[in-house]
Structures are given as structure tokens and as C-alpha cells.
Amino acid sequence: MALSDKVALVTGAAQGIGKAFSAALLRQGCKVVILDMNAVAGEACKNDLDTEFDSANSLFIACDVGSEEQLKCAFKKQLNHFGSLDILCNNAGINNENNWEQTINVNLTSVIRGTYLALDYMSKQNGGKGGIIVNIASLAGIYPAPHGPVYTATKHGVVGFSRAIAATSKLAGYGVRINTICPAFVDTPLLSSVNSKEMMGNYYIFKDTVQKLIDFYGILDPSLIVQGLMKIIQEEDLNGAVMRITKTKGIHFETYESALIQPELK
Ligand SMILES: NC(=O)c1ccc[n+]([C@@H]2O[C@H](COP(=O)([O-])OP(=O)(O)OC[C@H]3O[C@@H](n4cnc5c(N)ncnc54)[C@H](O)[C@@H]3O)[C@@H](O)[C@H]2O)c1
């Protein structure tokens, strides 16, 4: 897929993985909507990207993805501004076991809502021209994290929802590819949440165990997650794929028993 002049929307894009995604998409010639609830960090991110890229090619929208009203409004704003949407990256996420209801709302509900809003516009069944949706899960979407049962639940939910809706898309002819990225630990501000009593609540007592896990898996640079995103965008046959990114194996894919999925839906 040629990326020049494509329009991408990245949620949670003010910092971390989302900011790295936004910069990489701008570098490829995309127009990018930087969506984040943190207006100060979002504006700072846009200013930062404007030093390298044409400022007309990006737009910052302040939005809490956990709010149905705000998310719908943000999609409208971005369509009014750039006139189209080709790539959605549902990246915003938090790691808060204390306020676990909020974690479900941000990590899972908003991914489902964002996917549906994008499908409304992109689906060929609605007269759209197709597109790509990339949902960011985590290795905790494949393995259980003992220090984060709700984070684990949300990320398993993202993987399951994305695989199912990808199969729906193929079956119904939406013309939209939906894939998931599951990184191990990545060097971003989110990683510090595992050392926060306020965020981890009862699971704070496991912080030494978490450190052992981090030492075991290592910490990835966001640039590797960017490479994974570009692979998913470029490889036209990827739909319903679950990409794993780890220090030892790099970019690779989770395999599932094919008997559980009808061959025509793969
Ligand atoms: N960092 C890691 O180790 C790691 C590993 C695997 C998966 N992930 C996933 O990658 C994604 C990005 O994480 P990151 O590490 O870059 O985190 P980060 O904390 O560095 O950045 C997340 C961004 O999302 C924004 N955000 C949070 N809640 C929001 C909301 N309700 N509405 C809008 N924006 C919101 C934050 O303001 C922030 O700018 C998340 O889904 C996370 O679960 C991270």
C-alpha cells in the first residue's frame, strides 16, 4: 500500500508508541491525526513533529477515547479536516489495576468503539473505499500477567475482538484489514506504571516479580514496534493476524490451531 496522501488517525499519540507511529506515518507521506486526552502533551507532540514535517500534514485533536461522545466528535473533526480516513491505529492504553473499570473502558471498549466508527466510514458495504485498522494489544493479550489481571483481560479482549471482526470483514466484504500488535515491554512512560502503588493497587506487592519479568524479556525500543506497524500496513494479505514483538524473536506472529477457524476465514 502506497502511503503518500493516505490519512491516518492514531489514538494515544502524544507520547510513547503512538508518537513514534505518528512520526513514521508522516515520514511515509501520510496525513496524521494525533489524538490524545492530554492536550498539553498533544500540542507539544504536534509542535515537535512540525519541526520535521509540514505542519499542514498533521492535526492534534484533544479527546478522551473513553468518552463515546468525544470519540464520535473526534472522528467527525478529522473527516471534516482531511476528508478521508485510510488507517486507524487504536493505540491509547493505560495500566491501572486500581481503577480497573477505567482500564476496561480505555483499553477495550474504546478499541471496539473506534473500530466500529472507522468501519462505518471505511467499509465498502457502506460505500467506503476500505482501509486498515491496527489495534495495539500486548504480550499480555496472549499470556497472563500476574500483576495485571484486568490489563490482561483487556488485551486478551483486543486480540479476540480484532481476530473476530477481521473474519467478519472478510466474510462480509468490508474491504478493511484488521490486525493486532502484541509487544513485550517497550521503553515508554507507561512502563513506569508497574512501579506505582496508585496504579497497581493490590498488585503493587509484585513489583519485584515484574522487574524480573522485564529483565527476562528485555525492553524494546518503540522503533521496532514502528517496523511492525509498517509491515502490517504494507502486507496486503495480513488480516486477523496477531503480531508478537519480543527482544529474542523480534517481529513474528502468534499461531493458532487452524481447526478452530474455518479455512475460508483465515
Ligand atoms: N510500554 C509498554 O511496555 C507496552 C507494552 C505492550 C503494549 N503496550 C500498549 O501500547 C499502547 C501505547 O502505550 P505506550 O507504552 O506508548 O503508553 P504511554 O503511556 O507512553 O502513552 C499512552 C498515551 O495514551 C494517552 N491516553 C491514555 N488514556 C487515554 C484516553 N482515555 N484517551 C486518549 N488518550 C489516552 C496518554 O495520554 C498517552 O499519551 C497501549 O495500548 C499499551 O497498553 C505498551
Side-chain angles (χ1 to χ4, degrees):
M1 183 192 201
L3 289 183
S4 55
D5 294 328
K6 293 279 186 287
V7 180
L9 189 161
V10 182
T11 70
Q15 63 178 33
I17 296 169
K19 184 179 179 186
F21 283 171
S22 301
L25 289 162
L26 284 164
R27 200 164 288 123
Q28 294 294 320
C30 284
K31 294 183 169 52
V32 177
V33 175
I34 300 154
L35 185 153
D36 206 288
M37 71 182 298
N38 185 337
V40 174
E43 294 291 359
C45 170
K46 159 110 177 100
N47 289 339
D48 197 16
L49 295 174
D50 286 352
T51 61
E52 196 180 339
F53 309 103
D54 184 346
S55 63
N57 286 345
S58 66
L59 171 74
F60 170 65
I61 299 181
C63 166
D64 177 352
V65 296
S67 155
E68 178 175 9
E69 195 190 336
Q70 286 186 35
L71 195 58
K72 281 183 173 165
C73 180
F75 269 75
K76 273 192 199 138
K77 267 192 207 161
Q78 93 82 27
L79 286 171
N80 284 341
H81 189 85
F82 285 129
S84 127
L85 178 64
D86 304 289
I87 299 165
L88 168 68
C89 183
N90 283 308
N91 166 73
I94 56 172
N95 182 26
N96 188 337
E97 294 294 323
N98 231 351
N99 189 347
W100 57 265
E101 293 94 337
Q102 190 193 359
T103 299
I104 293 172
N105 193 30
V106 174
N107 291 10
L108 181 57
T109 308
S110 85
V111 170
I112 296 171
R113 185 168 287 126
T115 301
Y116 283 155
L117 286 170
L119 284 174
D120 280 348
Y121 177 78
M122 291 174 172
S123 172
K124 291 183 176 172
Q125 296 296 317
N126 298 338
K129 55 184 168 57
I132 300 172
I133 300 173
V134 184
N135 292 331
I136 307 306
S138 159
L139 267 201
I142 297 168
Y143 302 113
H147 54 280
V150 174
Y151 186 81
T152 300
T154 61
K155 296 303 187 178
H156 273 65
V158 170
V159 169
F161 170 74
S162 304
R163 293 180 68 211
I165 198 73
T168 313
S169 178
K170 183 167 184 191
L171 198 60
Y174 294 166
V176 179
R177 296 193 286 114
I178 300 137
N179 294 292
T180 315
I181 301 180
C182 295
F185 298 109
V186 188
D187 188 10
T188 73
L190 182 131
L191 209 49
S192 61
S193 60
V194 294
N195 287 315
S196 157
K197 196 169 187 176
E198 194 192 332
M199 300 294 263
M200 298 314 289
N202 292 338
Y203 304 100
Y204 180 69
I205 54 165
F206 296 121
K207 69 179 174 37
D208 294 340
T209 313
V210 179
Q211 193 53 53
K212 278 185 196 147
L213 274 177
I214 293 175
D215 293 343
F216 178 77
Y217 281 108
I219 300 178
L220 302 165
D221 190 86
S223 60
L224 190 61
I225 322 305
V226 166
Q227 281 179 39
L229 176 77
M230 291 303 164
K231 186 176 173 67
I232 275 181
I233 290 174
Q234 302 290 357
E235 292 192 12
E236 306 271 350
D237 60 338
L238 288 178
N239 183 46
V242 179
M243 175 185 279
R244 299 160 46 123
I245 309 183
T246 62
K247 198 89 178 168
T248 44
K249 290 191 181 168
I251 294 169
H252 57 294
F253 290 91
E254 179 68 357
T255 51
Y256 293 93
E257 279 184 51
S258 56
L260 296 176
I261 290 257
Q262 289 162 268
E264 70 272 21
L265 296 184
K266 282 193 83 187

